[in-house]
Amino acid sequence: MNDIRTILSTGQPGQAITAKGWVRTKRDTKNAVFLELNDGSCMSSIQCVFDAATMNPELVAVLGHSGTGAAVAVSGTLVESPAAGQKIELKAEALTLIGACPQEGYPLQKKAHSLEFLREIAHLRPRTNTFGAVSRMRDEMAFATHSFFRDRHFRYVHTPIITASDAEGAGEMFQVTTLDLEAMAKSGKAPDYSKDFFGKKAMLSVSGQLNVETHCMALGRVYTFGPTFRAENSNTTRHLAEFWMIEPEMAFAELEDDMELAESYIKHLLSWALDSCAEDLAFFDKRIQPGLIAMLDGVRSKAFVHMSYTDAVKELEKTKDTFEFKPYWGCDLQTEHERFLTETLVKAPVIVTDYPKDLKAFYMRQNDDGKTVRAMDVLVPRIGEIIGGSEREYRYDKLVENMQAKGLDPASYWWYLDLRRFGSAPHAGFGLGFERLLRYVTGMENIRDVIPFPRAVKQAEF
Ligand code: 4AD
Ligand code: MG
């Protein structure tokens, strides 16, 4: 392999090589021309040095067209570098211009750009240091996810994106239809879904959980990892309309097993970032979120704190004046509450359990108190909720009761209920929001900056 990452880590002085990539900067001095060449394989660029004394007119002409952004190939010999911060550089002898980059109109010149501006050129932003590092980290965290679950004998299941059931029962779904909306609006007739593509109303899935539970009751340990869609009208730095979620599900497991899995999984991801992504993490620590490395390192060596919802509300009530939304038993925890618990009170990740049943989805197992469910949310500093999960209601009658209490029609969940009729067993799982995790490990503030092409309210360019 001759990507720049390999050249920089294993290249030896005296070795003849050709490096291909995009010019980051070009600097002319009296005696030499310096090209910083980057190919995205790692954060670092390779410095290519052209000696002015040996340059022929043809090379001078090509160099003239090799400004920032141009795709080029540089051949030469590796030499020890006199410059600080790099072991080797390329003593360049030949240069091929593969793709010119006219400087006029190219938005990524040398000056630093705001993240807001870069969001408007999402097709070019992976070429910057910040978004290159985010993209590599995203890939690393996906890989670390698969390796974590594989080591624990979980099977990866692909759940559908188009669905007829509302997995969370929250009604925040995008509809999928081939009906002619304009013709219908003109005729004033109500839609006839029996004539729609699927013969019934269909939506984009908010969660793969219900589908993955079918395989949990067959393969035991499973997970799904895919895009999910929510039409929440939340224009925040924490919400996307399209986001990726990892949802493991374990048979013969209870809430304690679920919490253990969630904590081990997060720690595995942080360790992977610290041990295998040092160069990019150092960049985030220096440029994006000072203290990030020490914070992540601290989290992986400490046990997560467990706290019931009831105890959490008692703590919040002690300082209720500091909150915009006054906390009380039965209230949905707001981000300000979540952040207080994890950042101020505990100063570490917290797992809040046993929420009031009215706040949570129909599939969660009810406690014997009749008021709370075996739910757990993992809250982490800066982010708030990163994981939501629960032990599932595996008793048929109770599940039907919960559905009815929430106004859901059990008939439309018939196949899900079958799992409770035939060989039902206690099981538990959770969902980790992949982009929230990425905000946590990179220190990036806005969730739109950790997914290549964000979809949010009024945002679907590119
Ligand atoms: O808490 P949620 O809604 O749980 C579920 O969907 C369950 N079916 C999971 C399960 O038990 N299998 O969502 C899980 C996580 C949240 O904790 C959050 O990290 C993330 O998904 N999330 C979002 N991320 C970005 N944008 C949004 N609009 C999100 N909504 C939820
Ligand atoms: Mg949740």
Side-chain angles (χ1 to χ4, degrees), residues 168 230 332 338 359-360 363-364 376-377 385-389 431 436:
E168 291 300 297
R230 296 194 186 178
D332 207 354
E338 293 175 345
L359 298 179
K360 293 290 184 188
Y363 51 70
M364 296 193 182
M376 63 119 186
D377 277 7
E385 178 188 342
I386 195 167
I387 281 182
R436 298 222 178 143

Side-chain angles (χ1 to χ4, degrees), residues 190-202:
D192 177 359
Y193 289 114
S194 69
K195 299 219 170 68
D196 203 350
F197 189 92
F198 298 104
K200 63 197 307 198
K201 203 168 168 176

Side-chain angles (χ1 to χ4, degrees), residues 168 206-207 209 230 232 238-240 243 245 247-249 363 385-390 392 429-433 436 447:
E168 291 300 297
V206 294
S207 155
Q209 180 196 326
R230 296 194 186 178
E232 288 172 287
R238 315 181 307 123
H239 291 92
L240 288 166
F243 64 97
M245 189 158 42
E247 296 183 274
E249 196 71 32
Y363 51 70
E385 178 188 342
I386 195 167
I387 281 182
S390 73
R392 315 309 186 189
F430 62 78
L432 172 129
R436 298 222 178 143
I447 198 162

Side-chain angles (χ1 to χ4, degrees), residues 308-371:
S308 72
Y309 169 90
T310 301
D311 287 344
V313 170
K314 276 188 200 144
E315 290 294 340
L316 293 170
E317 280 176 330
K318 287 183 198 162
T319 52
K320 62 168 172 285
D321 294 340
T322 56
F323 301 118
E324 190 184 332
F325 294 94
K326 303 293 167 239
Y328 57 91
W329 199 95
C331 79
D332 207 354
L333 296 185
Q334 305 293 322
T335 305
E336 57 173 343
H337 302 143
E338 293 175 345
R339 291 189 60 173
F340 174 85
L341 293 171
T342 173
E343 276 165 36
T344 312
L345 186 69
V346 175
K347 298 186 174 61
V350 184
I351 309 186
V352 179
T353 62
D354 302 290
Y355 284 73
K357 66 177 181 191
D358 293 343
L359 298 179
K360 293 290 184 188
F362 67 91
Y363 51 70
M364 296 193 182
R365 178 169 182 177
Q366 233 183 75
N367 280 313
D368 293 339
D369 63 11
K371 291 191 304 194

